[in-house]
Amino acid sequence: MGLLDSLKAKLAPAKEKVSDLAQQHGDKIDHGLEKAARMVDEKTKGKYSDKIESGTGKAKNALDRIAHKDGDVKGEGHTPPPAA
């Protein structure tokens, strides 16, 4: 067993725990991201609004991937039904 395989095996339970927590508390995390983005935007007086909005969107997408909300986990993607 290689080093990476060993690491993956040891981190698998932590990955599942993080995924479960992201599913359970996703709304609270989203609220925190929005609140932090608003505060930073106020402190910078709107100078970096586009970058803040972009970063917030990327963070929310990452949260969705972690929580498996999009259903597109590697190897478990949805395939469309065959055309008739």
Side-chain angles (χ1 to χ4, degrees):
M1 184 179 270
L3 176 66
L4 289 177
D5 293 332
S6 169
L7 274 173
K8 285 180 184 178
K10 289 180 181 179
L11 293 176
K15 182 179 176 184
E16 290 300 318
K17 181 69 173 175
V18 168
S19 178
D20 290 342
L21 289 172
Q23 286 176 349
Q24 291 174 3
H25 303 290
D27 55 336
K28 292 178 184 178
I29 297 169
D30 277 343
H31 179 70
L33 285 170
E34 287 294 329
K35 188 175 178 180
R38 267 193 318 271
M39 185 169 53
V40 170
D41 197 32
E42 288 174 9
K43 294 291 183 180
T44 59
K45 297 180 177 128
K47 186 175 180 181
Y48 302 104
S49 293
D50 55 334
K51 292 180 181 1
I52 293 168
E53 186 176 324
S54 173
T56 303
K58 288 178 183 179
K60 287 182 180 184
N61 287 339
L63 176 64
D64 288 346
R65 282 194 316 269
I66 289 170
H68 305 296
K69 288 182 182 175
D70 59 356
D72 191 25
V73 181
K74 286 185 181 178
E76 296 179 11
H78 297 288
T79 55

